[in-house]
Amino acid sequence: MESQGSCSVFDHVVRAPEDPILGVTVAYNKDQSPIKLNLGVGAYRTEEGKPLVLNVVRQAEQTLVNDKSRVKEYLPIVGLAEFNKQSAKLIFGSDSPAIQENRVTTVQCLSGTGSLRVGGEFLAWHYLERTIYIPVPTWGNHPKVFTLAGLSVKTYRYYDPATRGLDFQGMLEDLNSAPAGAIVLLHACAHNPTGVDPTLEQWEQIRQLIRLKGLLPFFDSAYQGFASGSLDSDAQSVRIFVADGGECLVAQSYAKNMGLYGERVGALSIVCKNADVAGRVESQLKLVIRPMYSNPPIHGASIVAMILRDRDMYNEWTIELKGMADRIISMRHQLFEALLARGTPGDWSHIIKQIGMFTFTGLNSEQVAFMTREYHIYMTSDGRISMAGLSSTTVPHLADAIHAAVTRVA
Amino acid sequence: MAMRTAISSRILSRAALPGARSMSSWWRSVEPAPKDPILGVTEAFLADPSPDKVNVGVGAYRDDNGKPVVLECVREAERRIAGNLKMEYLPMGGSVNMVQETLKLAYGENSEFIKDKRIAAVQSLSGTGACRLFADFQKRFRPDSQIYIPVPTWANHHNIWRDAQVPQRSYHYYLPETRGLDFAALMDDVKNAPDGSFFLLHACAHNPTGVDPTEVQWREISYQFKVKGHFAFFDMAYQGFASGDPERDAKSIRIFLNDGHFIGISQSYAKNMGLYGQRVGCLSVLCEDEKQAVAVKSQLQQLARRMYSNPPLHGALIVSTILGDPDLKKLWLKEVKVMADRIIGMRTALRESLEKRGSTLSWRHITDQIGMFCYSGLTPEQVDRLTNEYHIYMTRNGRISMAGVTTGNVGYLANAIHEVTKSA
């Protein structure tokens, strides 16, 4: 029988471009070359180039599986209570007065992305200012997440290509000219993609300016523990803001620091002036979450809660985490030395100065394309490489590629 | 260098810094949100100390002892996947294996649409996530469209399309007088809607009423949809749970497919695999050809990327492990039938129990209705009495989750319902 409307109502839909970051892995997977190297997405790899499930995570999972009394019921809309409590302690410090005063609301979300989206939508619904300032550059997905959340996105200067470091003056000037109440996205540590972080002194100045101007800080903390190897050091930027009694939002992700990538585990915390406000804010967060996915997935959060609660597992985690952070720092040094040894033109010291999983090489998109074509190196076109994807055996290949790109491509 | 310091100190010079202590909260004006009408019921139930309390609120399956159930096939699948070497990100569209198996359930094991790759499909955060992705997609690509939603429906449907900013219209569905389908009014609404309207349909086991069209009625609805060129979006959250047979529960969808409609489907494993908290589901949109399916899928992925980047792994692995293994799949089908049969048994028991108590009202709708829920016909005041006097918890629209009824509590429940309705 002929159908009346033989045309789909979505006939006009065009194919979306590949996600610039996740698309790198798609392209990498298609490549048949045995020497291909994926330095695109920020997923940790071992020295052997393998993904890593932390021992402590494995243990936790096995315990969960063996526990016959465990069920798979819906979590509350705000997620697993123990997970929320432990996550807040992790980022704010177990002695944080804000937690003790019950003025923090923490809700489990789908990793960092989900926390940012829920926070952004809450702000779009309930906050007086609907503009968020994001640094240039930032994680490619930030502007898209906030735009779909209903915020309008503006930028502040951050990275200085000339020094491959922080454009501190530019940052302060731009924040200074933001309207009162504007939201400011801050990378808590290990800025993605540049690896350039303010010093603690600079953070203090940023804090003063933000409080003076009445701006609202929204921290993205995706690498706590991964930057320096110390969970507490990596949380300092957030903690100095909380210590002054003011309000802020924090998105936490366990994708990298617990290797839970695909389980989508994260938390959004909103630090409020007092407990009453925090309670009301939490009730409104539920209204944002319910029409998105009703309640968050249980598995990953159960693993995290178990590890954070148990002193031995927590300690073991910190050791494994430091191991990952140290390996990345070692890769930085190896790459730097390999470029020195090749006499590659230019100053490459930013490789060892930058922090966290990524290095912003300073390579341009033509050079990147060349490296992909000729050397089967996969990275994002902004010149960002994931150090976590390198090993001692692959560093020479990358160094060769960079050397060739810099000397043969403008 | 000196210049730079001067600039920064000029910016900060006004900073007499007691910090932010003197500022008041940004959130002063935030009102406390109302409790979710469905999930709030369980919260209230948990807070009740009474030993007689009964929870027939949220639609989560319970065995005859009132305990939540983890299916054997799920436990076995979990045993197999524990110690999984990777927890890497899934693609934005989720697990390909899981999606393929899921499409077979909805479209048919040997569906030509699957073979011809005409279905744009992504793993979603259970049924809620699938509906929300579709609503966002609808808003983006058919911005002038509205969604026709049955009255009544699952309360969260309204929230989903509202947050996606798609205007809502309603169509008649439930007829209180008969506690059945208001078919004539439904068909009128279908005919009177502008051509090419978008409709939300419950594929089977309508929530909250348990009232489904018959096969003949589905065929008429499908025919009228073709005449009007309407778009059918099916929410299928209870496949297998309604009759005990997944193929039979997908009949409405198969009728529409046969008639040439380009439908959309939300599928959930929350109930039929007991994977509630794992948040596993699938959104699919049938397209004209493979090229269009690729385009639509790519756009769905973009929407997912802005919400959570990629979906959770664990639940998807459980599903694909079960459905990919013929023995595990057989076990699953058996376990689904057990759940459905227990509910059908409880319907009979509740109805008989009420009739035995001499209730003069008609309770045949309890056994006429299908799926997890019974739309009892109780008024909000009667529901409040059940809660306050008998510690029985249900949503105020009179919806009873039959999954919460057991041989142990059916008598108590029947007695309480009889007491609050006998003067009605």
Side-chain angles (χ1 to χ4, degrees), chain A residues 4 8-9 12 14 16 19 45 72-73 113 208 247 262 264 273 280 283-284 290 293-295 298, chain B residues 23 25-26 30-31 33 62 87-88 128 141-142 226 277 279 288 298-299 305 308-310 313:
Chain A
Q4 187 77 7
S8 163
V9 296
H12 59 293
V14 292
D19 182 276
R45 292 285 178 272
K72 304 211 177 301
E73 297 283 280
T113 308
Q208 289 180 17
E247 299 179 316
R264 318 312 294 128
K273 266 304 182 178
R280 285 184 271 131
S283 73
Q284 292 290 350
R290 177 60 157 154
Y293 50 84
S294 285
N295 39 70
I298 190 170
Chain B
M23 292 170 58
S25 172
W26 290 118
V30 171
E31 292 293 319
R62 295 283 178 274
M87 279 173 169
E88 298 284 276
T128 308
F141 290 100
R142 300 296 304 214
K226 280 176 54 187
R279 319 310 293 128
E288 288 168 12
S298 73
Q299 294 293 350
R305 176 57 159 158
Y308 47 83
S309 282
N310 37 69
L313 175 62

Side-chain angles (χ1 to χ4, degrees), chain B residues 370-384:
Chain B
I370 192 167
M372 196 177 282
F373 302 111
C374 163
Y375 222 41
S376 60
L378 292 165
T379 65
E381 294 70 36
Q382 289 167 335
V383 170
D384 288 342

Side-chain angles (χ1 to χ4, degrees), chain A residues 28-349:
Chain A
Y28 167 85
N29 286 337
K30 289 198 182 118
D31 188 330
Q32 307 288 341
S33 163
I35 56 167
K36 64 181 180 174
L37 192 52
N38 188 358
L39 303 178
V41 75
Y44 182 82
R45 292 285 178 272
T46 62
E47 220 352 77
E48 295 73 37
K50 298 262 178 291
L52 178 66
V53 175
L54 302 186
N55 277 331
V56 78
V57 166
R58 226 186 271 279
Q59 270 178 58
E61 223 194 3
Q62 204 54 56
T63 308
L64 289 175
V65 167
N66 293 337
D67 182 356
K68 287 274 180 280
S69 70
R70 286 199 68 76
V71 292
K72 304 211 177 301
E73 297 283 280
Y74 293 123
L75 283 176
I77 300 175
V78 297
L80 190 61
E82 183 65 26
F83 168 83
N84 291 336
K85 184 172 133 204
Q86 296 294 342
S87 293
K89 279 169 58 176
L90 182 65
I91 187 70
F92 299 116
S94 46
D95 54 356
S96 167
I99 294 179
Q100 281 156 18
E101 291 158 20
N102 282 321
R103 49 190 189 83
V104 180
T105 172
T106 304
V107 298
Q108 179 189 340
C109 294
L110 278 97
S111 210
T113 308
S115 305
L116 293 165
R117 176 63 181 266
V118 169
E121 277 212 24
F122 170 78
L123 293 171
W125 278 103
H126 294 284
Y127 186 56
L128 54 100
E129 247 297 330
R130 294 173 64 148
T131 308
I132 184 164
Y133 282 75
I134 63 177
V136 178
T138 193
W139 181 47
N141 206 21
H142 274 142
K144 299 168 184 174
V145 169
F146 291 124
T147 302
L148 252 72
L151 299 174
S152 78
V153 175
K154 289 199 154 62
T155 59
Y156 62 90
R157 281 170 282 168
Y158 191 82
Y159 179 71
D160 185 351
T163 60
R164 292 197 180 99
L166 181 64
D167 179 0
F168 191 48
Q169 301 315 311
M171 179 176 182
L172 292 181
E173 279 172 29
D174 289 348
L175 293 183
N176 189 53
S177 33
I183 310 155
V184 180
L185 178 75
L186 301 163
H187 294 228
C189 68
H191 180 272
N192 176 3
T194 68
V196 169
D197 285 349
T199 63
L200 217 45
E201 293 72 31
Q202 289 170 325
W203 270 121
E204 172 57 21
Q205 290 182 77
I206 294 166
R207 181 196 69 79
Q208 289 180 17
L209 179 60
I210 283 179
R211 294 312 194 194
L212 181 73
K213 297 289 301 183
L215 306 175
L216 179 66
F218 193 158
F219 284 95
D220 185 351
S221 173
Y223 299 99
Q224 187 185 5
F226 234 110
S228 65
S230 155
L231 290 159
D232 287 323
S233 302
D234 289 352
Q236 277 316 302
S237 59
V238 173
R239 294 183 189 179
I240 63 170
F241 274 79
V242 174
D244 70 15
E247 299 179 316
C248 65
L249 289 83
V250 183
Q252 280 171 278
S253 166
Y254 290 95
K256 286 87 173 170
N257 62 10
M258 268 209 205
L260 287 172
Y261 307 94
E263 300 298 353
R264 318 312 294 128
V265 202
L268 168 71
S269 287
I270 304 189
V271 181
C272 307
K273 266 304 182 178
N274 59 59
D276 175 62
V277 171
R280 285 184 271 131
V281 165
E282 180 168 303
S283 73
Q284 292 290 350
L285 285 172
K286 288 182 186 174
L287 295 195
V288 170
I289 292 169
R290 177 60 157 154
M292 249 190 228
Y293 50 84
S294 285
N295 39 70
I298 190 170
H299 190 69
S302 305
I303 292 173
V304 172
M306 190 181 296
I307 292 170
L308 294 182
R309 268 184 84 150
D310 179 303
R311 181 182 306 235
D312 292 334
M313 290 182 97
Y314 182 92
N315 287 337
E316 191 178 334
W317 174 49
T318 60
I319 293 169
E320 289 190 87
L321 181 53
K322 187 160 191 317
M324 290 196 285
D326 284 349
R327 195 183 88 68
I328 287 177
I329 291 168
S330 151
M331 289 302 102
R332 290 184 175 282
H333 286 277
Q334 286 187 33
L335 179 60
F336 175 66
E337 271 140 41
L339 291 170
L340 276 189
R342 281 159 182 69
T344 308
D347 175 4
W348 297 98
S349 62

Side-chain angles (χ1 to χ4, degrees), chain B residues 14-74:
Chain B
R14 281 166 293 142
L17 286 155
R21 280 182 218 289
S22 54
M23 292 170 58
S24 59
S25 172
W26 290 118
W27 318 117
R28 246 181 353 235
S29 61
V30 171
E31 292 293 319
K35 283 209 173 298
D36 184 277
I38 301 171
L39 304 178
V41 169
T42 295
E43 278 183 34
F45 168 82
L46 289 171
D48 185 332
S50 164
D52 299 323
K53 62 181 181 177
V54 174
N55 185 1
V56 284
V58 76
Y61 183 79
R62 295 283 178 274
D63 64 15
D64 199 46
N65 296 313
K67 298 271 176 282
V69 170
V70 177
L71 302 186
E72 265 315 304
C73 62
V74 169

